[in-house]
Amino acid sequence: MLVSRYTQFLPQGDGSTVIWHSVFGRVMQLPDQLADFLKEAGDFNSHDFEEEFGEDALKILSNAHILIDSTEQEQVDIDSLFTKHNPKHKSKVKALSLIMSEECPFRCVYCIHFANSKHYYNQEKMMSLEVAKASIDSYLGLMIKNGETDFYINFGGGEPLLNYRTIAEILPYIKECESLYDIKIKLGINTNLSLLTREMAETFIRYNVEIATSLDGTKSGNNKVRLTKDLSGTYDSIMRGFNILKELGHPLDGFAMTVTEANLSDVDTEIIDWADSLGMKEVRIDIDVVGIVNSSMQKIIDKLTRVRKYAMEKGISVIGFWSRPAENLGLIPEEEDIGFCGGERGNSLCVAPSGQVFPCGYSNYQLGNYQDIPTIYENSAYVELLDNRNLNIQPDKCKKCPIFGFCRGGCLITKEANQGSTEKQSAMCELYVGMTEAIIRQQVTA
């Protein structure tokens, strides 16, 4: 038998070591004696291993792909993951996002939409009712044809509330579709809340639209990076939206914040205390996926780890793109399609006001037009998107990474926006690996 070259070791300093397979996962804690053997072992006899460490250890490590019969068979097993989860001539689409507006009243210094998505420059700035309805019809037809039962439609942007009139017309149409096809469609909207009125909020509540928003820290931190067109702070206008929802009995249970060099110092326990005072249960903290953050990545890792631990003690979950690989490590790759996001997996279609379709609302990788949605699985760009998920064609640097099969190359937008430069991608790699190891350590000691 052999020990897989994809086996990863994370000593705990307490006589134990956490190990996992960088493609198949199966995180487990072993005594150092066994972990040391696995580190040093070459080709060995399974009977001898069983004699020293027991039959159960042999079975568990073999089932976890840590112990293998040959590298050739291991490669076959890895290849089978790609063919199983990326079938030819079949759609993997799960969700539809309608970019209701390419415009926004804010000018956040880190904005992905303005920093990367070239479709912002299209002439069509607001989605028409016709494009929205046709996109929904195509999406539902594709999903029903594919035997899917979980439907999700999101309203995004830019700032979608700039096109609230169309959203208000679309919502009853979606209800008609539910009745027509005897299905349930989950709805969501990503908005900065600054334009939210009581009437809008009541409509969203009536149609069960889940509202997601961003707030980049306390007032001082937020107003360093989230600005209006005249460079004024946005905190007060965002909080007006929060308060409207609270008054209507539907307070938000969380929010997302983006961290840049400007507001990194505001990522601290104070923001958790503030969230706790409002009864929130989740805070999403994302490091800017496009721009360079000049602070050392280890400093950021230490800060996020400390804040995450503090939040856990208050019953608040702190997540971000940086937690995705650790979350994926808890899944079984043979059963779950592991991916960094829905766009990377080919699960999401985002329709711009122009009718162009992208895997992510901030991407420039065009999959076609909304009229192509019914046969998107035959579209060459969609096929290429899935083909690029093959672990065999990934760079050697990725193949040697401890979270190779669980990071999947990270955010598509990081790569798009930083083509020709490895500095940002390398920094994000350091963040994802460092936070994965930090989260594992926290889980072990919890």
Side-chain angles (χ1 to χ4, degrees):
M1 300 198 80
L2 299 169
V3 177
S4 170
R5 68 182 184 276
Y6 295 107
T7 303
Q8 307 300 318
F9 299 88
L10 185 63
Q12 298 301 294
D14 61 355
S16 71
T17 298
V18 173
I19 73 165
W20 67 90
H21 192 287
S22 63
V23 175
F24 289 101
R26 273 58 162 212
V27 178
M28 63 183 78
Q29 191 172 9
L30 302 179
D32 281 345
Q33 180 187 2
L34 177 50
D36 290 342
F37 172 84
L38 295 176
K39 286 180 186 177
E40 303 298 330
D43 194 352
F44 61 90
N45 184 280
S46 60
H47 178 74
D48 293 340
F49 180 92
E50 189 175 324
E51 283 289 317
E52 184 170 358
F53 298 107
E55 181 181 355
D56 288 345
L58 178 65
K59 183 181 295 185
I60 291 170
L61 292 171
S62 296
N63 289 340
H65 300 269
I66 300 298
L67 299 183
I68 59 176
D69 292 323
S70 68
T71 56
E72 293 78 13
Q73 182 57 49
E74 179 177 48
Q75 190 59 54
V76 169
D77 292 340
I78 292 174
D79 291 344
S80 69
L81 296 178
F82 175 75
T83 54
K84 177 179 180 178
H85 296 305
N86 301 279
K88 298 293 185 182
H89 312 296
K90 186 175 181 181
S91 166
K92 294 179 62 182
V93 173
K94 308 291 184 186
L96 174 70
S97 179
L98 301 176
I99 302 173
M100 300 307 301
S101 167
E102 297 278 18
E103 293 284 9
C104 182
F106 285 9
R107 286 297 181 268
C108 305
V109 298
Y110 54 77
C111 181
I112 308 176
H113 189 70
F114 293 125
N116 189 64
S117 57
K118 293 183 174 61
H119 49 86
Y120 162 72
Y121 297 102
N122 288 340
Q123 185 174 354
E124 299 88 348
K125 298 298 185 185
M126 302 291 167
M127 178 167 286
S128 68
L129 181 62
E130 292 72 25
V131 170
K133 281 186 174 182
S135 299
I136 291 170
D137 290 343
S138 294
Y139 162 70
L140 294 179
L142 174 66
M143 291 281 285
I144 292 169
K145 177 183 176 182
N146 206 36
E148 300 289 349
T149 57
D150 294 324
F151 302 84
Y152 179 71
I153 297 175
N154 176 269
F155 303 105
E159 173 49 53
L161 293 186
L162 285 169
N163 196 8
Y164 174 73
R165 179 184 300 178
T166 301
I167 295 175
E169 292 182 89
I170 281 294
L171 290 173
Y173 181 72
I174 290 174
K175 287 300 176 184
E176 291 175 13
C177 290
E178 286 185 325
S179 298
L180 178 63
Y181 297 114
D182 191 24
I183 59 175
K184 290 294 182 182
I185 303 172
K186 185 177 179 181
L187 302 174
I189 186 170
N190 291 76
T191 169
N192 61 37
L193 292 182
S194 66
L195 301 177
L196 187 74
T197 65
R198 191 177 184 90
E199 176 192 354
M200 292 178 185
E202 288 173 342
T203 299
F204 293 142
I205 292 169
R206 186 165 65 252
Y207 284 95
N208 294 314
V209 180
E210 184 176 335
I211 299 173
T213 194
S214 301
L215 185 71
D216 292 335
T218 55
K219 186 170 185 175
S220 62
N222 180 86
N223 288 348
K224 291 174 184 176
V225 294
R226 302 201 82 193
L227 308 172
T228 62
K229 290 181 180 180
D230 65 3
L231 304 184
S232 300
T234 60
Y235 181 87
D236 291 339
S237 64
I238 296 171
M239 288 307 300
R240 278 197 297 271
F242 270 84
N243 291 332
I244 287 172
L245 292 169
K246 184 178 180 180
E247 289 167 6
L248 291 173
H250 283 73
L252 295 177
D253 62 0
F255 64 92
M257 65 180 297
T258 299
V259 178
T260 70
E261 193 70 30
N263 67 337
L264 177 60
S265 61
D266 294 277
V267 179
D268 213 325
T269 55
E270 182 182 1
I271 190 67
I272 302 302
D273 289 335
W274 179 83
D276 185 46
S277 71
L278 295 178
M280 294 186 178
K281 295 302 179 185
E282 182 176 283
V283 177
R284 182 181 182 92
I285 304 175
D286 277 316
I287 307 302
D288 183 1
V289 297
V290 173
I292 297 295
V293 178
N294 292 319
S295 296
S296 79
M297 203 50 71
Q298 189 56 54
K299 175 183 176 182
I300 294 174
I301 291 169
D302 292 343
K303 180 181 282 279
L304 286 173
T305 302
R306 179 169 53 83
V307 170
R308 182 177 184 273
K309 182 176 185 295
Y310 182 80
M312 287 172 62
E313 293 169 353
K314 290 183 171 290
I316 296 175
S317 173
V318 173
I319 61 172
F321 282 133
W322 45 266
S323 64
R324 190 67 51 78
E327 293 161 6
N328 285 342
L329 269 169
L331 305 176
I332 304 297
E334 294 94 329
E335 301 172 3
E336 302 275 354
D337 185 14
I338 307 296
F340 190 80
C341 66
E344 186 272 331
R345 284 192 301 267
N347 294 156
S348 61
L349 298 179
C350 302
V351 183
S354 63
Q356 295 172 308
V357 178
F358 305 89
C360 169
Y362 308 120
S363 174
N364 296 311
Y365 185 76
Q366 189 173 342
L367 299 175
N369 188 277
Y370 70 91
Q371 296 164 324
D372 301 319
I373 291 177
T375 56
I376 194 72
Y377 50 88
E378 300 289 359
N379 182 288
S380 59
Y382 184 77
V383 172
E384 183 180 357
L385 178 74
L386 298 188
D387 285 345
N388 286 338
R389 305 190 70 233
N390 193 330
L391 293 178
N392 284 333
I393 66 172
Q394 304 310 313
D396 287 341
K397 177 184 177 182
C398 289
K399 292 179 181 178
K400 296 175 182 177
C401 176
I403 53 174
F404 173 36
F406 300 91
C407 168
R408 295 283 177 158
C411 177
L412 295 173
I413 309 307
T414 300
K415 289 181 280 191
E416 276 191 26
N418 292 274
Q419 291 182 15
S421 172
T422 61
E423 182 181 4
K424 177 61 176 179
Q425 294 184 52
S426 296
M428 297 307 283
C429 288
E430 182 182 351
L431 173 66
Y432 296 149
V433 172
M435 284 308 304
T436 300
E437 293 181 348
I439 290 171
I440 289 174
R441 290 187 190 279
Q442 283 186 338
Q443 291 173 338
V444 168
T445 58

